[in-house]
């Protein structure tokens, strides 16, 4: 936890932004894996609840009555039966005092608060719920059916939370640096373990253990596969094979639940062959291009499409693409090779605040998403960068056999893609490079003191030690 002054300051700012009504921030409950007493571990608190109320215990709700300037932490104290099995914890009253909240109450008080507010026609603000148990709780409290709760969520509250959480403070950046240090250990371990005969599962299991041992947990399920063309390729029992590439996309959360998210693509044989090096070098150049242009005031949309144009130019030099670069990018031909956006916001969530809807987090009135064009519809961020934003820089090139077959059969973008040559890359896999960037006053910088090797020569030298 941060100091109680930090949480008090955040709640005070939230009250100013939302202006009136009652804010209800639901914490998470335990989530059963296969029966009630066998929950997923470790417990993961809701990030917005953590941001404003700081307590990492299940069964809590934070209430902020803006008009009467009253803050209350709501939850039931645990019973002796729970203490026997899990040990003693602070009372809800004590937890409230630790975060600068003067009032506490049992969970039944929430019903009274909500019913009184509805009777008096006061605005109740809540965020879009994403867990079924919270949806049922909101239904019981407010009478709003779960399929209407996303639309009924408070836009003033969503906008206030996005505004506050998007810009990272110095103490948050320190946490992100700690997450980066864990991520460095995870990725360098994966690179050292990458050799023929080792299973994907074995490496991924070691990485997950590092995250658990040095922090709270992984920041998302580890992606590790020699089929890098599969965007979210889960590690399998397959053994790494000579000549293949191992794509590892992994990150950690600190004890205070701030994330890291990096990707590296390592040659199983220890060295990149010529064809791999040609594609890798394009991704590397795109990755480094972002470092030269990302700064406050620049639209991330423009950075993304700058990368798409650069990638298209280099793929034309290899004979995989053809035609006018701007026309090819406008037609979405580059999405044959990079099916996703350049990056996303990151913080307490690896896709920061994605439960608040990406259109509210990564876009604004000036920059709107394009949900119609393949590839561009997966761009999670387009708005102008601001100092204190944290974004991922993750270009990639992938050769997806099913996508190649589909576009070739339909003739889609045939004026921009050399399908005959593309056929010879169906066995290639995919390459992605990803780092976390902090937007500074005049540019950007990597988060993390130690750089996970990514320049080809550095990678080869590192794994050869």
């Amino acid at each position: 936890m941060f100091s109680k002054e930090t949480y008090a300051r955040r709640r005070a700012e939230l009250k100013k932004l939302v202006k009136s009504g009652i804010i209800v921030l639901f914490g998470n409950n335990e989530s059963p894996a296969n029966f009630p007493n066998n929950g997923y571990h470790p417990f993961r608190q809701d990030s917005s609840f953590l941001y404003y109320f700081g307590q990492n215990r299940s069964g809590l709700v934070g209430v902020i009555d803006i008009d009467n300037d009253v803050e209350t932490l709501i939850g039931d104290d645990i019973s002796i039966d729970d203490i026997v099995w899990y040990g003693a914890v602070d009372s809800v009253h004590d937890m409230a005092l630790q975060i600068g909240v003067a009032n506490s109450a049992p969970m039944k008080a929430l019903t009274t608060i909500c019913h009184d507010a509805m009777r008096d026609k006061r605005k109740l603000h809540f965020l879009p719920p994403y867990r079924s148990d919270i949806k049922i709780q909101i239904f019981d409290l407010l009478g709003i059916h779960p399929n209407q709760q996303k639309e009924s969520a408070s836009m003033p509250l969503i906008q206030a939370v996005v505004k506050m959480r998007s810009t990272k403070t110095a103490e948050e950046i320190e946490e992100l640096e700690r997450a980066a240090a864990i991520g460095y250990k995870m990725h360098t371990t994966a690179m050292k373990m990458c050799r023929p005969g080792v299973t994907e599962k074995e490496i991924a299991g070691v990485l997950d253990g590092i995250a658990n041992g040095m922090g709270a947990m992984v920041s998302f399920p580890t992606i590790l596969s020699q089929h890098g063309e599969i965007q979210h390729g889960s590690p399998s029992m397959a053994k790494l094979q000579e000549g293949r590439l191992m794509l590892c996309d992994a990150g950690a959360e600190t004890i205070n639940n701030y994330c890291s998210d990096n990707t590296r693509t390592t040659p199983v044989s220890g060295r990149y062959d010529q064809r791999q090096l040609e594609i890798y070098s394009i991704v590397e150049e795109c990755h480094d291009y972002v470092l030269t242009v990302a700064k406050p005031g620049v639209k991330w949309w423009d950075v993304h499409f700058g990368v798409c144009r650069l990638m298209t130019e280099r793929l034309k030099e290899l004979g995989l693409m053809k035609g006018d670069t701007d026309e090819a990018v406008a037609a979405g031909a580059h999405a044959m090779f990079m099916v996703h956006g350049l990056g996303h916001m990151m913080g307490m969530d690896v896709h920061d605040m994605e439960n608040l809807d990406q259109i509210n987090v990564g876009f604004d009135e000036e920059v709107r998403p394009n949900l119609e064009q393949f590839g561009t519809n997966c761009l999670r961020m387009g708005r102008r960068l601001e100092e204190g934003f944290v974004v991922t820089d993750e270009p990639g090139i992938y050769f997806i056999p099913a996508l190649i077959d589909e576009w070739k059969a339909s003739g889609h973008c045939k004026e921009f893609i050399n399908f005959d040559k593309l056929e010879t890359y169906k066995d290639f896999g995919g390459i992605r490079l990803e780092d976390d960037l902090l937007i500074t006053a005049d540019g950007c910088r990597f988060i993390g003191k130690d750089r996970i090797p990514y320049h080809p020569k550095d990678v080869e030298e590192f794994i050869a030690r």
Side-chain angles (χ1 to χ4, degrees), residues 65-78:
D65 185 332
I66 301 173
D67 307 309
N68 296 306
D69 197 21
V70 174
E71 300 173 348
T72 308
L73 182 65
I74 291 178
D76 294 328
D77 289 325
I78 68 171

Side-chain angles (χ1 to χ4, degrees), residues 297-302 359 362-369 382-386:
V298 172
K299 293 179 188 175
W300 190 248
W301 180 278
D302 293 337
I359 197 170
F363 296 89
D364 54 22
E365 291 303 314
E366 180 190 16
V367 185
R368 307 304 291 169
R383 61 188 286 200
R384 290 186 188 275
L385 299 169
E386 297 180 24

Side-chain angles (χ1 to χ4, degrees), residues 37-105:
N37 289 330
N38 190 20
Y40 284 101
H41 183 79
F43 167 73
R44 181 54 160 90
Q45 183 62 282
D46 175 78
S47 295
S48 289
F49 179 88
L50 272 176
Y51 187 82
Y52 295 102
F53 284 89
Q55 293 291 357
N56 202 14
R57 201 207 87 177
S58 63
L60 298 174
V61 179
V63 176
I64 303 173
D65 185 332
I66 301 173
D67 307 309
N68 296 306
D69 197 21
V70 174
E71 300 173 348
T72 308
L73 182 65
I74 291 178
D76 294 328
D77 289 325
I78 68 171
S79 68
I80 189 65
D81 291 334
D82 289 325
I83 291 173
V84 167
W85 290 102
Y86 301 110
V89 298
D90 293 333
S91 68
V92 175
H93 173 72
D94 288 340
M95 287 193 290
L97 295 180
Q98 291 164 8
I99 53 171
V101 173
N103 305 289
S104 61

Side-chain angles (χ1 to χ4, degrees), residues 135-147:
K135 292 181 180 182
I136 293 170
Q137 188 176 10
I138 292 174
F139 185 38
D140 289 342
L141 289 167
L142 307 180
I144 303 172
H145 193 277
N147 64 17

Side-chain angles (χ1 to χ4, degrees), residues 1 11 34 53 235 262 322 372 385 407-408 426:
M1 288 176 60
R11 294 191 300 271
N34 52 359
F53 284 89
N262 300 93
K322 57 187 178 180
E372 304 302 320
L385 299 169
W407 282 28
K408 184 177 181 180
K426 280 185 172 180

Side-chain angles (χ1 to χ4, degrees), residues 121 198 227 257 333 353 437:
K121 294 183 169 49
V198 181
H227 284 281
N257 300 104
M353 300 172 282
L437 302 183

